[in-house]
Amino acid sequence: MRVRKGGRAPDADEPWNEIIPGLWMGGHVYGGGTQAIVRDEFDVVLSLYGRDGHGPDEHVEHHYAPMPDGPLDPDQISAVCRLADIAAEAVRDGRTVLSRCHSGYNRSGLVTAQALIAMGYPVGDAIFLIRYRRSRWALNNPLFVDYLESGLDVARLLTGLES
């Protein structure tokens, strides 16, 4: 495992991992800096980080909402909720979904966890599944775990009060 610049978390071993049937989580880089290029492996791709040439193909449904791997503002939290709803609905319809960010740990984990919660998973189970299926490094941003444990609606209201 190669540790990312800054010495935080190692790159994931795989470009993406299936969390539950039809719901995948991944990043733009993995395994020592290898580039993860999405073509048409998924029906829906949710990107929270962008890099030119990383796909998906034009015919794939793609939603892009760039956001930091840090404190989110109310609009960004709303975007997480919207993307999670898109993911949950697509999975229920039997479509395959990839939620991705840079390394496939935090931003994609937040959306994936919220999609699982929307599908009826308890928060703790959603976080466990993501860490078990993707990486123990997934959701290593404690603020994102706090958002999930508080509920994104509450987190959106609280971050709005700070403005």
Side-chain angles (χ1 to χ4, degrees):
M1 273 188 196
R2 182 177 148 269
V3 176
R4 282 194 319 184
K5 202 173 196 177
R8 293 184 15 219
D11 289 341
D13 294 330
E14 302 293 330
W16 41 74
N17 300 89
E18 192 170 31
I19 306 305
I20 62 168
L23 183 59
W24 295 73
M25 182 175 142
H28 282 72
V29 295
Y30 70 102
T34 304
Q35 303 298 302
I37 312 291
V38 176
R39 299 288 180 223
D40 62 359
E41 301 90 343
F42 304 97
D43 299 312
V44 180
V45 176
L46 311 172
S47 298
L48 301 133
Y49 170 86
R51 190 176 271 183
D52 288 340
H54 281 241
D57 290 350
E58 286 186 24
H59 68 277
V60 174
E61 182 180 335
H62 185 217
H63 301 269
Y64 177 59
M67 61 186 62
D69 185 1
L72 303 179
D73 65 33
D75 291 338
Q76 291 165 329
I77 294 173
S78 291
V80 168
C81 293
R82 181 180 57 81
L83 293 174
D85 288 344
I86 290 168
E89 183 178 337
V91 169
R92 284 188 198 108
D93 290 344
R95 301 171 75 205
T96 56
V97 178
L98 171 65
S99 175
R100 67 180 180 164
C101 58
H102 182 271
S103 297
Y105 289 153
N106 286 316
R107 292 165 280 188
S108 60
L110 183 61
V111 169
T112 302
Q114 186 61 31
L116 291 168
I117 292 164
M119 289 186 277
Y121 286 80
V123 173
D125 291 355
I127 294 169
F128 172 82
L129 271 173
I130 287 167
R131 288 177 175 158
Y132 181 74
R133 300 287 171 118
R134 175 66 178 157
S135 169
R136 67 185 181 100
W137 295 98
L139 288 169
N140 65 60
N141 179 336
L143 180 59
F144 286 4
V145 173
D146 288 346
Y147 287 161
L148 292 165
E149 290 174 342
S150 299
L152 291 187
D153 289 336
V154 170
R156 182 175 42 231
L157 290 173
L158 292 175
T159 58
L161 292 175
E162 295 170 4
S163 302

